[in-house]
Amino acid sequence: MRAIIRPPLFMRRLARFGLRPIRLAVLAATLLAAVALTGCPDTTSHAQAIYMLLDTSGTYQQELDKAQAIVHWLLARLQPGDSLAVGRIDTASFSEKDLLAKVTFDSRPSTVNDQKRAFLSALRAAVVNLNGSPYTDITGGILQAAEFIDETGAGRKTILVFSDMQEELKPGYERDFPMDLAGIRVVALNVTKLRNDQIDPRKYQQRLEEWRARVEQGGGSFLVVNDLERLERIFGE
Amino acid sequence: MNFLQDYTAISLLVGAALLMVALYFGRHPAQHAIISASRVAHNALRLSARAVKSTEALLRQRNRDVLLARGELEAETELEREFQRIQTILSRDLAGFPALQRKIADLVERVDVDYQSTVDVPPAPTAWIKAVETVAGLEDCAKDRMAGNVLGEIHKTLKRQQKEVLDDYRKQSARRHALLHRMAPRWRELSGYLRDVGRTVAGLPERAAMADRRMEEYEQIRRQSDKSLHKLSSSAMTQFFISLLVLLIAMGGAVINFNLIALPMSEMVGGGSYLGPFKTSNVAAMVIILVEAAMGLFLMEALRITRLFPLITMMDDRMRRRLGWIAFALLLTLAGVESALAFMRDRIAADNEALRQTLSGAEHLVRTGAYAWIPTAGQMVLGFILPFALTFVAIPLESFIHSARTVTGMILLGLVQITAWLLRVLGSLCLTLGKLTVALYDVLIFFPLWIECRLLVCKESRYVRIEPAVPASISEGDDQHDVFETCGAPSLTDSDGATKSA
């Protein structure tokens, strides 16, 4: 003799439409899973744009091998759709002629490899003919880089500055104004300590703090990477 | 400074005294409120526990129904299969029995004829013997040349006849031997026929016993016996874990398959495009694998190996066969596509490796000989085989779906039971906390209560002589509730109807 247990009223009403508790639970779980899987449409670009600025002043001419190694490392990890450009910092860096090589990779991996080889050849050819500059216009270079990477429309924008961050402007050049660096990450690479920095380390710290303030004021973020192995962590985010 | 400190201490003491007095006067309403609140919570939780218990009963019934329905279906299928086997034996082996019987009879007849032909007929005795004896018995036979000649001729004739008879006998014997020799394979054939019949007849009782066992199980399920329920539930659990294990293995295969085609898919759909947070190439590769799995599922359905879609099961055979061929053709096409993608992957990976070596400044090594084509061929073969291997996922998937209904029901039942228990425990905890709060309230106002108690004892001692002066209830070590009861503390009745004093 089986005991007849009446389920609650709302359950009985739902059961009329074929919605039993177990089925309801399965339906709810399926809907939740569907919502979780589809989520909101992601409209942000997943591509990244990197602009590397090379300091060509006297002290940094010897450091160009390191810079090339960084470019190789970047080429190895950039994906289809990404953009890469290498520019120089000289007396007047806010100029297209300071762009040594640039590329926006195709969507097909096989084409990307050919583009990387071509970029490498172009860069090597450009670096061979590089001459040192008497002045260091870092601000102009950053502005030129920001202009380039904004045009790519990439989701992640990075400017790598391979310099000691000691700006020396030619008389008459105006660079004391806020920069627009919204959403751009500025990474100072291999910032060497100058002789004056060794005498008074506060100068080095003050120089970097000034750059941090300028970049953050422009809406960007600033970080210093002296250990090049940390690049993996920066781009692996 | 000291004055200030003393003042603060005095004010605190006065405040505490006033608070104690206030709490004492508000004792009854406050304690009633605490007890009422705890009872409300207790009753609400108990009602919830009861509702959950009723759900548990429903769930238990549902599990039972699902288990029995599934078990009944399986038992029916197995029983049907057993009867089909018996029918096959009867139609295939025993249906040919009359023909076999005819063959055996024919063989026996031929063997009998041959046997009759081998009957040994002794040679007839010659008619000359008596004549010779007569001639030999004559007198003067020895002297009579003529008789001697006759006897000589008779002797020659006898010898010749004897030789002819002997030759004829030898020929007959040889013919009989040949006949007997020809009979041997027929005997063997006959023996073989009889052995086949014996084997067929011997297999029938086994099948019949198996059918009996299946019938017994089926009847037990129909009777809804506990034994059959236990057996079915344990069987469902076993099936669940086995099919889950096989599905996990298949998932491993799918992951390898995915890695095989994800990279070359970016060559087709673009490596830089995204669908939400996922790369389009990855989504496309996953879709291809899922489509392959779906085609495999339809193929298995069309072959009637699985029965997940009643619509396909109910199709007429011609339509079902067409569906099967379509699914197989699509699967074959997709397998070919995967094989090509695997080849492309190998090329892209080689190119990536070459570029990486160029960037690192190392000398680029080119694979030659067997090392060059073995990985490529291996990947292509894998790309072709894996879609077909994934087809067989349909079998454990069906088993998993059916057993998961039972297992999920069991898990839900366990959760419901735990919930009901927790609700009951929480209800009891609320009631206990209420009583504890009331007790703590009385601890806070112990001094006014003590005074009240003393006054009540004094009041009673005017009318009743008490010996000794200390109340008996206290001296005998009763708990405070008895004392408070005598002191007019509010009595509390819990939900069980037991009277308690606060």
Side-chain angles (χ1 to χ4, degrees), chain B residues 264-320:
Chain B
M265 278 307 285
S266 61
E267 195 73 19
M268 291 164 74
V269 298
S273 63
Y274 280 77
L275 279 172
F278 306 106
K279 271 185 141 183
T280 309
S281 57
N282 289 353
V283 173
M286 187 54 74
V287 165
I288 281 186
I289 290 165
L290 291 174
V291 168
E292 282 166 1
M295 287 306 122
L297 211 63
F298 290 141
L299 185 61
M300 287 291 180
E301 284 288 313
L303 292 170
R304 283 202 173 154
I305 292 169
T306 58
R307 294 183 183 206
L308 285 167
F309 301 102
L311 195 69
I312 297 174
T313 312
M314 287 186 296
M315 273 181 189
D316 66 290
D317 288 353
R318 196 174 158 194
M319 194 68 195
R320 199 168 41 78

Side-chain angles (χ1 to χ4, degrees), chain A residues 129-140:
Chain A
N129 301 322
L130 270 184
N131 296 317
S133 64
Y135 296 98
T136 315
D137 175 18
I138 297 173
T139 308

Side-chain angles (χ1 to χ4, degrees), chain B residues 170-359:
Chain B
R170 278 174 181 163
K171 277 180 189 170
Q172 289 292 330
S173 292
R175 197 173 61 83
R176 277 196 298 273
H177 277 131
L179 281 169
L180 285 168
H181 184 72
R182 204 174 60 193
M183 274 166 64
R186 285 176 187 163
W187 282 117
R188 277 199 290 272
E189 198 179 344
L190 195 61
S191 168
Y193 284 143
L194 289 169
R195 202 183 307 120
D196 287 345
V197 171
R199 202 180 296 141
T200 305
V201 173
L204 264 175
E206 280 178 31
R207 291 260 75 92
M210 187 67 81
D212 283 347
R213 274 203 297 275
R214 296 267 180 265
M215 189 53 110
E216 176 63 30
E217 285 170 13
Y218 180 65
E219 279 172 357
Q220 278 197 348
I221 291 165
R222 294 279 299 187
R223 283 200 300 270
Q224 301 185 4
S225 67
D226 288 340
K227 186 186 169 184
S228 68
L229 272 169
H230 285 307
K231 195 176 173 180
L232 286 172
S233 59
S234 66
S235 167
M237 288 287 275
T238 311
Q239 278 298 308
F240 177 80
F241 286 112
I242 289 169
S243 54
L244 184 67
L245 182 70
V246 178
L247 280 176
L248 286 172
I249 292 165
M251 273 179 76
V255 167
I256 288 171
N257 203 359
F258 172 81
N259 284 320
L260 208 60
I261 63 172
L263 178 65
M265 278 307 285
S266 61
E267 195 73 19
M268 291 164 74
V269 298
S273 63
Y274 280 77
L275 279 172
F278 306 106
K279 271 185 141 183
T280 309
S281 57
N282 289 353
V283 173
M286 187 54 74
V287 165
I288 281 186
I289 290 165
L290 291 174
V291 168
E292 282 166 1
M295 287 306 122
L297 211 63
F298 290 141
L299 185 61
M300 287 291 180
E301 284 288 313
L303 292 170
R304 283 202 173 154
I305 292 169
T306 58
R307 294 183 183 206
L308 285 167
F309 301 102
L311 195 69
I312 297 174
T313 312
M314 287 186 296
M315 273 181 189
D316 66 290
D317 288 353
R318 196 174 158 194
M319 194 68 195
R320 199 168 41 78
R321 268 198 293 273
R322 274 185 194 171
L323 182 76
W325 279 113
I326 290 166
F328 179 74
L330 286 169
L331 201 60
L332 193 68
T333 310
L334 286 168
V337 167
E338 266 209 35
S339 194
L341 285 171
F343 175 76
M344 198 191 288
R345 183 194 176 277
D346 188 66
R347 287 282 168 274
I348 294 168
D351 193 29
N352 284 347
E353 188 55 38
L355 178 73
R356 214 170 287 127
Q357 284 176 352
T358 306
L359 291 171

Side-chain angles (χ1 to χ4, degrees), chain A residues 34-215:
Chain A
V35 168
L37 279 172
T38 52
C40 301
D42 187 10
T43 53
T44 56
S45 169
H46 290 264
Q48 64 172 330
I50 299 171
Y51 194 106
M52 189 166 172
L53 285 165
L54 300 179
D55 192 339
T56 56
S57 60
T59 50
Y60 257 77
Q61 276 281 342
Q62 301 139 15
E63 302 281 333
L64 283 176
D65 285 347
K66 278 186 189 175
Q68 277 202 330
I70 292 167
V71 171
H72 288 181
W73 183 85
L74 287 170
L75 280 172
R77 55 171 297 114
L78 285 174
Q79 298 295 314
D82 293 348
S83 302
L84 176 66
V86 177
R88 63 181 288 199
I89 298 171
D90 59 1
T91 306
S93 307
F94 188 61
S95 163
E96 277 77 14
K97 69 176 174 62
D98 285 322
L99 200 61
L100 301 176
K102 64 170 182 175
V103 66
T104 296
F105 296 119
D106 194 78
S107 60
R108 289 167 299 170
S110 56
T111 314
V112 167
N113 286 345
D114 294 337
Q115 284 178 306
K116 284 177 180 178
R117 287 189 185 98
F119 179 87
L120 206 58
S121 302
L123 185 67
R124 278 174 183 164
V127 168
V128 167
N129 301 322
L130 270 184
N131 296 317
S133 64
Y135 296 98
T136 315
D137 175 18
I138 297 173
T139 308
I142 289 175
L143 288 169
Q144 179 62 40
E147 195 178 65
F148 173 84
I149 58 177
D150 270 336
E151 281 174 9
T152 61
R156 285 179 293 166
K157 303 164 189 174
T158 310
I159 298 171
L160 301 173
V161 188
F162 194 77
S163 164
D164 54 12
M165 303 308 282
Q166 178 69 53
E167 190 165 53
E168 291 172 39
L169 294 172
K170 193 178 179 181
Y173 279 69
E174 184 58 50
R175 295 287 184 265
D176 191 14
F177 55 83
M179 299 181 285
D180 181 15
L181 299 170
I184 297 174
R185 183 173 53 168
V186 179
V187 183
L189 291 174
N190 194 43
V191 185
T192 52
K193 279 87 179 175
L194 305 171
R195 193 174 297 161
N196 288 337
D197 298 338
Q198 289 164 16
I199 293 163
D200 186 1
R202 283 176 300 176
K203 284 184 179 174
Y204 171 80
Q205 287 163 359
Q206 189 186 343
R207 190 163 71 245
L208 291 178
E209 281 308 313
E210 279 172 6
W211 276 110
R212 183 186 302 281
R214 282 193 74 189
V215 169

Side-chain angles (χ1 to χ4, degrees), chain B residues 422-458:
Chain B
L422 277 173
L423 287 168
R424 288 178 72 86
V425 166
L426 280 171
S428 301
L429 200 67
C430 284
L431 200 65
T432 312
L433 275 172
K435 289 173 184 175
L436 186 70
T437 314
V438 167
L440 285 171
Y441 192 101
D442 283 349
V443 167
L444 286 174
I445 54 168
F446 72 96
F447 191 67
L449 279 178
W450 181 77
I451 291 168
E452 182 192 22
C453 226
R454 297 312 307 163
L455 286 172
L456 278 169
V457 168
C458 288

